[in-house]
């Protein structure tokens, strides 16, 4: 099992597509988080989520491959490997967890959608990052059909 939690850091002033945020990924094996690290591993959360969805879409759709995701403007890293219908997430301490491709798609899509429902509306309608994330979600959502 793999779970995701995404957050935008508070007290950054007027919301911007380049606000800092954090990612936490947990599983049966361990967890990895950008929260509270030295040096700071916070990332530009909106472009990072777009990048995450775009990067994992190809191996998930083809059923094989590896992605080494690194948060935008951050040193936070997680490796996702897709093989034999299973996605494995590995962080700095080793394996985080495994789950079937359909369950992974559902878990990641639910977490990103939940984050975006609460945060995208706070961005200016002309902020280009807003459209980038909305398009990445729409493209990734096609995998769940």
């Amino acid at each position: 099992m793999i779970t995701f939690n995404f957050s935008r850091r508070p007290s950054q002033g007027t919301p911007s597509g380049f606000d800092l945020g954090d990612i936490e990924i947990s599983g049966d094996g361990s967890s990895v988080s950008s929260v509270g690290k030295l040096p700071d591993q916070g990332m530009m959360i909106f472009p990072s989520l777009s990048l995450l969805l775009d990067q994992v879409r190809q191996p998930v759709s083809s059923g094989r491959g590896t992605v080494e995701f690194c948060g935008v403007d951050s040193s936070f890293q997680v490796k996702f490997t897709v093989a034999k219908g299973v996605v494995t997430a590995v962080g700095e301490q080793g394996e985080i967890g495994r789950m079937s491709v359909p369950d992974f798609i559902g878990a990641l899509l639910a977490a990103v959608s939940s984050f975006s429902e609460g945060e995208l509306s706070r961005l200016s309608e002309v902020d280009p990052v807003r459209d980038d994330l909305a398009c990445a979600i729409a493209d990734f959502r096609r995998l769940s059909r």
Side-chain angles (χ1 to χ4, degrees), residues 6-137:
F6 309 116
S7 59
R8 188 179 75 72
R9 291 182 177 176
S11 305
Q12 296 184 74
T14 302
S16 157
F18 302 107
D19 282 351
L20 293 179
D22 293 289
I23 292 179
E24 297 176 70
I25 304 172
S26 301
D28 298 329
S30 66
S31 64
V32 65
S33 175
S34 63
V35 176
K37 301 290 174 120
L38 290 175
D40 189 356
Q41 289 187 353
M43 64 202 73
M44 291 188 282
I45 192 66
F46 294 101
S48 292
L49 294 181
S50 297
L51 179 64
L52 175 61
L53 292 173
D54 289 345
Q55 284 185 333
V56 300
R57 188 174 64 243
Q58 193 282 325
V60 164
S61 66
S62 70
R64 66 179 198 276
T66 298
V67 169
E68 294 190 28
F69 168 77
C70 184
V72 175
D73 201 26
S74 174
S75 60
F76 177 82
Q77 296 182 14
V78 178
K79 182 166 87 171
F80 297 96
T81 301
V82 182
K84 298 180 182 178
V86 174
V87 178
T88 304
V90 177
E92 60 192 358
Q93 302 296 322
E95 185 174 305
I96 298 166
R98 298 171 179 249
M99 62 194 321
S100 71
V101 168
D103 289 344
F104 176 83
I105 291 169
L108 181 54
L109 188 57
V112 173
S113 296
S114 177
F115 172 83
S116 68
E117 286 170 11
E119 296 293 342
L120 276 185
S121 64
R122 301 182 69 192
L123 299 180
S124 164
E125 290 194 22
V126 297
D127 192 320
V129 174
R130 181 180 175 139
D131 285 340
D132 288 348
L133 182 54
C135 287
I137 292 169

